[in-house]
């Protein structure tokens, strides 16, 4: 959501930005983006696999040429030893290209959301330039 907000702050963005889906719950990840329930069960909502399925699903759902996703733990709760607060996985997808990245940041909830959004936009730029 925050990454979409940043993109659409640019005048004329409707010429290249189809839309965004804020799939906060697992149910929305599955029902709207087509993430496999098995993938969520096996790897968890915050995983490379779920991020990639989210991006691929967004390509289809939005009829886009490029899609990106991020799934993470912004806290203050929800983290664990294996998946701490500040962890996020991002994915970039086109019909031919798939990329994922893991990031880990420190900070409070708002700061983490800002860092996740910025990292996602930079990741997209790296993959389209």
């Amino acid at each position: 959501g925050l990454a979409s907000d940043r993109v659409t702050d640019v005048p004329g963005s409707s010429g290249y930005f189809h839309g965004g889906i804020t799939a906060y719950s697992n149910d929305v990840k599955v029902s709207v983006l087509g993430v496999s329930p098995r993938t969520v069960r096996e790897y968890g909502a915050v995983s490379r696999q779920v991020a990639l399925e989210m991006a691929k699903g967004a390509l289809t759902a939005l009829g886009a040429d490029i899609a990106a996703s991020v799934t993470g733990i912004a806290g203050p709760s929800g983290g664990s030893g294996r998946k701490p607060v500040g962890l996020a996985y991002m994915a970039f997808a086109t019909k031919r290209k798939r990329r994922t990245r893991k990031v880990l940041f420190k900070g409070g909830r708002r700061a983490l959301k800002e860092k996740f959004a910025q990292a996602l936009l930079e990741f997209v730029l790296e993959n389209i330039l």
Side-chain angles (χ1 to χ4, degrees):
L2 189 52
S4 294
D5 177 66
R6 288 185 178 182
V7 171
T8 59
D9 271 349
V10 177
S13 58
S14 61
Y16 53 82
F17 188 78
H18 286 237
I21 299 166
T22 303
Y24 202 72
S25 75
N26 289 342
D27 289 342
V28 175
K29 288 176 177 72
V30 170
S31 65
V32 176
L33 293 175
V35 173
S36 165
R38 181 178 177 190
T39 303
V40 175
R41 270 192 318 276
E42 287 186 20
Y43 301 101
V46 178
S47 65
R48 183 176 316 278
Q49 295 83 352
V50 167
L52 185 55
E53 287 188 25
M54 288 172 64
K56 289 172 17 182
L59 280 175
T60 302
L62 298 170
D65 296 321
I66 295 169
S69 69
V70 61
T71 181
I73 305 168
S77 61
S80 68
R82 247 184 69 229
K83 293 184 179 183
V85 170
L87 172 69
Y89 289 93
M90 303 177 295
F92 172 89
T94 68
K95 289 178 183 161
R96 292 191 176 105
K97 185 176 185 179
R98 308 278 195 269
R99 299 285 186 271
T100 61
R101 178 173 290 165
K102 174 184 174 180
V103 295
L104 181 60
F105 297 117
K106 296 211 180 290
R109 183 175 181 81
R110 184 64 193 178
L112 288 171
K113 289 172 69 174
E114 294 278 350
K115 290 175 182 180
F116 293 163
Q118 185 63 34
L120 181 65
L121 294 174
E122 290 172 5
F123 187 52
V124 168
L125 282 174
E126 288 172 22
N127 281 285
I128 61 174
L129 297 180

